Amino acid sequence: MAQDYYQLLGVGRGASAEEIQQAYRRLARRYHPDVNRGPEAEERFKEIGEAYRVLSDPKTRARYDRFGADFRRIPEDYDGRVTAGPDFGQAGRGWSRTGRVRAEPSFGGADFADGTDFADFADRGFGRAGPGGAGLGGSIFGDLFGAHGATGPIPGADQEAELELTVEEAYRGGRRQITLAGPGGSPRSYQVTIPRGVVEGQRVRLAGQGGRGSRHGQPGDLYLHVKIAPHPYYRLSGRDINVPLPVTPWEAALGARVPVTTPGGEIKVRVPAGSSSGRRLRLRGAGLPNPTGPPGDLHAEVRVAVPPALTARERALFEQLAAVSAFDPRT
């Protein structure tokens, strides 16, 4: 049983031309042989292509809506009158221009019910008009498939891959060469321009580097999904950068200006007096750049660190501080 073209494209019978085109493009990208190497993908790709060719043409679509899967066997000027009880699946019957059935065979003995490909049938010259008969090969098939069964250009499918960047690369942007597996698994190199300030999840488009088109169709695009690699020092939150800020006990207690490393270089940050571990200091605009808006911020988290080993003098001073200080952080 022939599949319903509307069901193949996943649209309703009242779908607009734009909805039909969008459905076709979505499915063509999914089942294009360059993208989908599943055992049924190629056959599925051909089926949705055929459905689109029929439903994208208003005249052909109208005939399909009226006659269903048998629309190709009926001449375009058929007026709907039948005199001999036609059997659409039977060989040896042909339609006249008045729509009446005549007994003499017009299809050269071809049996449409056995799975004969109609485009191939027309290409071999079968079904052309005889005396008083309608020529299917030279009209309907010629219009639908062209002289040799050809269709219009089919664009290549868009493809996707992952592009892993360091925080520093995302911050400064630039050019980079990457290698991906091409058709058949062979490696293929690309020169990628990385936008300055790119963020996790953003896509970088390489125009024309996707799947190959068919029948002179334009190639698809390659979309690289940005992934930021984990960093031992920086932690990203959107365009904001979070960094640890180690300080000494006396810097935390007395206050100080200390250096902090950022992807854009070293800058100074003021640590207020009396800062404890966990305090967050915000440096506005020191995060990832933003070509279309405000940049992110840098958040430095204070972490009080003590010397791993004390000199005799340092120990004496700490003991002196302990003797005079009434501060108890546990109260």
Side-chain angles (χ1 to χ4, degrees):
M1 181 177 180
Q3 295 192 60
D4 183 272
Y5 288 162
Y6 291 99
Q7 292 181 0
L8 277 172
L9 295 181
V11 299
R13 300 190 75 84
S16 66
E18 183 178 358
E19 290 173 330
I20 289 174
Q21 185 182 60
Q22 290 175 348
Y24 165 71
R25 287 180 174 176
R26 182 178 65 254
L27 293 171
R29 289 169 180 167
R30 181 187 305 172
Y31 293 104
H32 196 286
D34 286 346
V35 176
N36 191 331
R37 303 188 182 279
E40 300 179 358
E42 184 174 357
E43 184 62 29
R44 183 73 169 175
F45 183 73
K46 293 178 181 178
E47 290 175 348
I48 61 178
E50 168 64 8
Y52 176 69
R53 284 191 289 274
V54 172
L55 299 184
S56 62
D57 184 292
K59 185 177 180 181
T60 310
R61 179 180 179 181
R63 289 174 51 76
Y64 177 77
D65 289 343
R66 181 181 181 189
F67 300 111
D70 296 305
F71 77 100
R72 289 196 182 93
R73 307 186 194 183
I74 303 174
E76 296 184 7
D77 56 0
Y78 168 62
D79 63 6
R81 292 175 293 167
V82 180
T83 60
D87 179 359
F88 293 124
Q90 180 178 351
R93 295 183 183 270
W95 293 97
S96 71
R97 293 195 180 279
T98 63
R100 304 180 188 278
V101 177
R102 53 192 174 83
E104 62 269 23
S106 62
F107 298 126
D111 184 3
F112 288 107
D114 66 0
T116 299
D117 181 79
F118 288 109
D120 181 59
F121 179 81
D123 184 43
R124 288 179 289 165
F126 295 109
R128 291 189 168 83
L136 297 184
S139 59
I140 298 177
F141 290 132
D143 293 340
L144 286 176
F145 298 100
H148 299 286
T151 64
I154 299 176
D158 291 342
Q159 297 179 342
E160 299 181 349
E162 186 178 276
L163 175 62
E164 187 174 76
L165 303 175
T166 65
V167 175
E168 292 85 355
E169 287 176 320
Y171 182 92
R172 65 176 179 262
R175 291 184 63 82
R176 175 177 161 187
Q177 181 170 315
I178 64 171
T179 301
L180 301 173
S186 57
R188 184 176 178 183
S189 296
Y190 304 86
Q191 283 290 336
V192 182
T193 299
I194 302 169
R196 187 168 183 261
V198 68
V199 295
E200 177 100 16
Q202 189 171 335
R203 297 196 306 173
V204 177
R205 174 174 173 259
L206 301 183
Q209 298 299 316
R212 295 188 299 271
S214 300
R215 305 184 181 96
H216 305 290
Q218 293 293 322
D221 298 331
L222 174 61
Y223 289 93
L224 302 176
H225 291 260
V226 172
K227 177 179 175 58
I228 307 298
H231 196 279
Y233 182 66
Y234 303 115
R235 183 170 55 84
L236 297 186
S237 177
R239 294 189 182 276
D240 290 349
I241 302 176
N242 299 278
V243 298
L245 181 60
V247 298
T248 64
W250 46 94
E251 288 172 335
L254 302 175
R257 285 180 61 84
V258 299
V260 58
T261 303
T262 77
E266 185 178 277
I267 58 177
K268 292 283 189 176
V269 59
R270 187 179 69 84
V271 179
S275 294
S276 297
S277 290
R279 183 168 188 171
R280 291 169 62 83
L281 308 176
R282 179 185 179 191
L283 284 74
R284 190 183 300 272
L288 289 181
N290 187 355
T292 60
D297 298 329
L298 185 139
H299 301 272
E301 181 180 323
V302 173
R303 296 182 182 177
V304 178
V306 300
L310 297 175
T311 66
R313 178 60 176 163
E314 288 172 333
R315 178 175 292 278
L317 292 174
F318 272 113
E319 289 174 347
Q320 183 180 351
L321 176 63
V324 300
S325 177
F327 174 66
D328 184 356
R330 291 168 294 281
T331 59

